[in-house]
Amino acid sequence: MSLYADAFSQARNPAAAFHAVQLRLSLERALTADLAELLSERAQLELAYVKSLQRLQQRLHSAPHHKDSLSKEFEALQVDRKTADQQLGPAWTGLRLSLENELAETATSHQLWADKLAKQVHDPLRNSLTKGDWARWNATEAQLAAETKEYHQQVEKVQKAQAKQTKSSKASNQSKLLQAQSQLSSLGSHLAAALPAFLDQSQRLDLSHGAFLKEALVRCGTLTSDLGRERMEAGERLTVQVLGIDEAVEAEEWALRESIKLGSTGTAGGATMPSIGEFGEPATTGAAVPASRQVRSDSSVADRSDAASTRSAATSRTNNDRQRGGSCEYTFPPCHLLFFTFGYSSCSEG
């Protein structure tokens, strides 16, 4: 014997047992209908969200009164989008495009989620209440509900007949009471005989529909999890893209590119348009010079210092030699000494 039959078939009041089981299954049926309606409205809200995202994406490039700030700035500065994108740089331009494209990706993801929710969860829940086991149970429940109603009406007749018989001992009252009790007994017996099959049918439906509800709601949870994973992955891609932007490099590349257009000799980001120094080396004043160029410049300075030192030493030696040569140049030769000592004739003869 089934669980429900064990619990209710021996009840003294078969109508009360029927009502207990009827209440549980009716509430389960109502729960299913409410879940189907809830998920239907949820899907409709998703579709409305999808349309809002699509309108937002279209508005970015629509009529003039709906133009975004960038488009208005293009017009104010009299530049086209291509020129503006070049000014912003590929990183920031790419980020803006990614955010705009993300609107379409989000709309697509939520559109698919809403469609799957309707087809795989809502529709099966709604259709389950009008087909198969539920349809058969509804028919049995309606028949027993009518018999139970009649049973309750007969109970009321018996109670009224008992009240009249108590007030008056007329034979007619006694006959009516016995007739009412007989009919009640007959209805009770019929209801009690039909109850076990109904209990068995109700138990099977209760268990099978409970498993069906679990399956449908697990499917709903899986679809929601898939949507969440897609949105999480999109968020991670956006985060990686943002963190990959080096704002200093972006600014330096822009400055260098613009300086080249303008024929500037300035520096940008360590890149230079070199100017020539006094000795032919790159100038080291002004903007910062990369370390490698500083090393070469320092080496040039050291070389110049060494060369200057060498020239200075050479000049000093030359001057010393000249001083020594001058002393010898103005020293009287030996013949003059002889002249003063021994006379001119001796010098000339010598």
Side-chain angles (χ1 to χ4, degrees):
M1 190 174 288
S2 66
L3 173 64
Y4 280 22
D6 289 341
F8 301 107
S9 63
Q10 302 301 320
R12 288 178 295 180
N13 188 338
F18 166 77
H19 285 310
V21 177
Q22 179 195 42
L23 178 60
R24 175 174 173 83
L25 271 293
S26 296
L27 291 176
E28 191 168 339
R29 180 176 55 192
L31 172 63
T32 303
D34 284 347
L35 289 176
E37 183 64 22
L38 170 64
L39 295 176
S40 176
E41 293 185 13
R42 181 72 174 84
Q44 292 301 317
L45 289 175
E46 284 297 312
L47 294 177
Y49 176 55
V50 167
K51 292 180 180 178
S52 296
L53 291 175
Q54 292 171 342
R55 284 196 299 269
L56 175 59
Q57 186 184 26
Q58 294 171 357
R59 185 168 59 84
L60 296 176
H61 307 288
S62 61
H65 62 282
H66 282 154
K67 285 186 177 179
D68 56 15
S69 297
L70 277 175
S71 299
K72 294 177 181 178
E73 202 68 20
F74 297 161
E75 295 179 355
L77 298 176
Q78 297 182 349
V79 296
D80 56 18
R81 179 174 286 274
K82 181 178 180 181
T83 301
D85 288 346
Q86 291 175 348
Q87 290 293 314
L88 286 173
W92 293 116
T93 300
L95 179 60
R96 187 199 73 227
L97 292 176
S98 294
L99 289 172
E100 291 180 1
N101 293 334
E102 194 267 342
L103 294 174
E105 294 176 0
T106 302
T108 300
S109 297
H110 284 265
Q111 175 77 58
L112 292 175
W113 185 84
D115 292 342
K116 290 181 179 179
L117 185 70
K119 293 178 180 179
Q120 300 182 22
V121 184
H122 165 262
D123 292 350
L125 287 177
R126 183 190 60 189
N127 295 335
S128 69
L129 299 178
T130 57
K131 297 179 180 180
D133 292 341
W134 273 109
R136 288 186 290 271
W137 185 88
N138 290 337
T140 303
E141 183 264 346
Q143 180 180 356
L144 289 181
E147 293 180 2
T148 303
K149 182 179 180 181
E150 186 179 356
Y151 177 85
H152 287 303
Q153 291 174 349
Q154 195 62 38
V155 169
E156 291 179 357
K157 288 182 179 180
V158 170
Q159 292 175 346
K160 289 180 180 179
Q162 287 177 340
K164 289 182 180 181
Q165 196 273 337
T166 302
K167 293 180 180 179
S168 174
S169 59
K170 291 181 179 181
S172 60
N173 291 336
Q174 182 68 27
S175 175
K176 289 181 180 179
L177 175 60
L178 293 175
Q179 184 180 3
Q181 289 177 337
S182 176
Q183 291 178 350
L184 179 61
S185 177
S186 176
L187 289 173
S189 297
H190 187 273
L191 187 60
L195 189 59
F198 174 74
L199 294 175
D200 184 62
Q201 182 185 21
S202 298
Q203 177 178 319
R204 288 197 309 269
L205 178 59
D206 193 351
L207 296 178
S208 63
H209 191 71
F212 167 77
L213 278 180
K214 286 176 60 178
E215 180 183 355
L217 295 178
V218 165
R219 192 180 303 118
C220 177
T222 301
L223 293 175
T224 304
S225 177
D226 292 341
L227 175 63
R229 182 170 59 253
E230 291 179 6
R231 305 310 311 135
M232 181 181 68
E233 291 174 353
E236 290 175 350
R237 289 195 299 270
L238 176 61
T239 301
V240 169
Q241 184 178 4
V242 173
L243 294 179
I245 298 177
D246 189 329
E247 61 276 13
V249 171
E250 282 288 308
E252 291 166 359
E253 290 179 352
W254 170 82
L256 176 60
R257 184 172 59 251
E258 293 301 308
S259 67
I260 292 174
K261 289 181 182 179
L262 299 174
S264 173
T265 58
T267 63
T272 63
M273 300 182 67
S275 56
I276 306 302
E278 180 182 0
F279 296 97
E281 77 286 353
T284 59
T285 60
V289 179
S292 59
R293 300 189 61 178
Q294 290 179 357
V295 171
R296 291 195 297 271
S297 178
D298 293 342
S299 299
S300 299
V301 172
D303 294 340
R304 293 199 305 272
S305 298
D306 292 342
S309 299
T310 302
R311 290 195 298 271
S312 178
T315 302
S316 177
R317 287 194 299 271
T318 302
N319 291 335
N320 291 337
D321 291 344
R322 287 177 179 175
Q323 289 176 1
R324 287 194 297 271
S327 174
C328 179
E329 179 181 355
Y330 294 102
T331 301
F332 292 103
C335 63
H336 292 83
L337 293 174
L338 291 175
F339 173 79
F340 286 109
T341 304
F342 301 104
Y344 177 78
S345 60
S346 300
C347 181
S348 298
E349 295 175 357

